[in-house]
Amino acid sequence: LFCHNTSYIKEKINKFIEFGVSKEDTLKITSQLPSLLCLTFDNTKEKMLFLRKIGLENVITNEPKRLMQSVELMYARYNYLTKIRNN
């Protein structure tokens, strides 16, 4: 993160805002987890879309570290927990 210039960081923050995350929440997320700015936004966006789809959008702002795990792991955990709950 220290190797990125301010315009790069502003661009990443604007992508969160364009996605629909409030400016306040974006600043909260990125201050809690600055390394999130090093991921491609498409990667992060895919995870946020999945969390929205399953009704866990609050995880984006309350537990941003979850955005660092792979989307495949998110799917696997969700499927496992859904299976357990339905049995």
Side-chain angles (χ1 to χ4, degrees):
L1 185 63
F2 295 108
C3 63
H4 297 298
N5 61 31
T6 54
S7 63
Y8 173 86
I9 295 170
K10 285 180 182 178
E11 178 185 328
K12 289 285 189 149
I13 288 171
N14 285 334
K15 286 185 178 190
F16 277 92
I17 295 167
E18 289 169 9
F19 184 74
V21 179
S22 71
K23 184 177 181 179
E24 294 78 22
D25 284 343
T26 299
L27 295 175
K28 177 184 170 185
I29 292 166
T30 55
S31 66
Q32 287 179 7
L33 193 65
S35 57
L36 189 59
L37 296 173
C38 296
L39 298 177
T40 65
F41 187 75
D42 288 340
N43 180 290
T44 305
K45 182 179 175 180
E46 184 178 7
K47 296 168 194 176
M48 292 191 302
L49 284 170
F50 178 68
L51 289 169
R52 281 183 176 175
K53 179 181 173 185
I54 63 173
L56 294 176
E57 187 171 3
N58 64 320
V59 170
I60 296 168
T61 54
N62 296 332
E63 297 182 64
K65 64 183 176 189
R66 302 284 180 206
L67 296 172
M68 294 300 289
Q69 64 191 16
S70 72
V71 74
E72 291 81 10
L73 180 58
M74 289 177 117
Y75 289 142
R77 286 182 175 168
Y78 175 73
N79 288 331
Y80 174 74
L81 293 171
T82 302
K83 211 178 258 188
I84 287 175
R85 184 178 58 189
N86 291 332
N87 286 334

